[in-house]
Amino acid sequence: GENVEQHPSTLSVQEGDSAVIKCTYSDSASNYFPWYKQELGKRPQLIIDIRSNVGEKKDQRIAVTLNKTAKHFSLHITETQPEDSAVYFCAASIQAAGNKLTFGGGTRVLVKP
Amino acid sequence: NAGVTQTPKFRILKIGQSMTLQCAQDMNHNYMYWYRQDPGMGLKLIYYSVGAGITDKGEVPNGYNVSRSTTEDFPLRLELAAPSQTSVYFCASSSDPTTGELFFGEGSRLTVL
């Protein structure tokens, strides 16, 4: 089955700096790559996603890049703010096969004021 | 719309007891999922369903059972609870695979002593 590795496990950045989280996946058939944000004690919520026919996608301060050949994808947060502090999860799935997401282990991001 | 509703939010079980975690969604979503999240870890898929009457195993199904008699409800049954089942359980739903986004419930924190 699919295996998703996520790095780093923790990330501390100064407010205003950028944060980058990287994930690799093992199943070349995976074609959907979402990122979820989970605040302490809350449910995961989708922040951005990318499909395998796209190399990059941006939404305000958040961007995701995908390299299908290398089987890795990354989340970039620019101009970080204290409210960006949370745990971020990457995931991968084959959408036609029930869209069963396989999650990475998570990255705890702390934005210091 | 309430979205995805899980009950109970918290539960303590003794080893060997059984219980059912309830999950209901009011978005008329066909796809529903149960994930567990161990402390500091990512989410692992337990079971999923692509529609009423259809269920299938995920990555970690042992010790659990599900049913899907209606579109709205997807209960998770724990038989003979073990300490290894101490976790936070999240139910999620999705309208169809092509949209991708999973909507999560608030989670159910289960402790087995």
Side-chain angles (χ1 to χ4, degrees), chain A residues 36 38 43 51 95 98-99, chain B residues 33 37 97-99 104 106:
Chain A
Y36 282 79
Q38 186 178 31
R43 74 189 85 188
R51 288 168 173 78
Q95 286 198 287
N99 197 29
Chain B
Y33 311 82
Q37 184 177 31
T98 58
T99 61
F104 284 87
E106 291 185 321

Side-chain angles (χ1 to χ4, degrees), chain B residues 6-39:
Chain B
Q6 291 183 234
T7 56
K9 287 186 170 50
F10 303 93
R11 182 75 186 266
I12 297 175
L13 279 182
K14 294 182 179 178
I15 295 172
Q17 287 186 320
S18 300
M19 75 160 297
T20 299
L21 298 177
Q22 302 291 344
C23 176
Q25 52 91 9
D26 61 359
M27 298 175 283
N28 200 32
H29 286 174
N30 285 322
Y31 289 74
M32 295 188 75
Y33 311 82
W34 274 106
Y35 284 90
R36 61 176 285 173
Q37 184 177 31
D38 297 334

Side-chain angles (χ1 to χ4, degrees), chain A residues 2 32 36 38 41-46 49 51 87 89 95-106 108, chain B residues 4 31 33 35 37 40-45 48 50 57 59 90 94 96-106:
Chain A
E2 175 68 280
Y32 176 64
Y36 282 79
Q38 186 178 31
K42 304 285 188 180
R43 74 189 85 188
Q45 292 192 294
L46 180 72
D49 57 13
R51 288 168 173 78
V87 179
F89 293 97
Q95 286 198 287
N99 197 29
K100 298 168 290 180
L101 294 180
T102 299
F103 285 86
R108 184 173 299 277
Chain B
V4 180
Y31 289 74
Y33 311 82
Y35 284 90
Q37 184 177 31
M41 306 288 285
L43 293 89
K44 293 190 183 298
L45 183 64
Y48 71 103
V50 301
K57 296 178 181 178
E59 186 182 358
F90 286 99
S94 175
D96 67 72
T98 58
T99 61
E101 181 172 5
L102 266 60
F103 294 87
F104 284 87
E106 291 185 321

Side-chain angles (χ1 to χ4, degrees), chain A residues 10-20 61 77-85 108-113:
Chain A
T10 59
L11 181 59
S12 182
V13 297
Q14 208 65 39
E15 183 178 356
D17 288 350
S18 295
V20 180
R61 296 186 296 108
I77 307 173
T78 58
E79 300 172 18
T80 53
Q81 300 169 4
E83 54 263 37
D84 294 329
S85 295
R108 184 173 299 277
V109 174
L110 175 63
V111 180
K112 295 181 287 185

Side-chain angles (χ1 to χ4, degrees), chain B residues 40-75:
Chain B
M41 306 288 285
L43 293 89
K44 293 190 183 298
L45 183 64
I46 306 171
Y47 270 95
Y48 71 103
S49 169
V50 301
I54 306 170
T55 63
D56 207 348
K57 296 178 181 178
E59 186 182 358
V60 290
N62 291 346
Y64 307 94
N65 275 301
V66 294
S67 60
R68 185 93 182 271
S69 56
T70 67
T71 299
E72 294 78 19
D73 300 299
F74 190 41

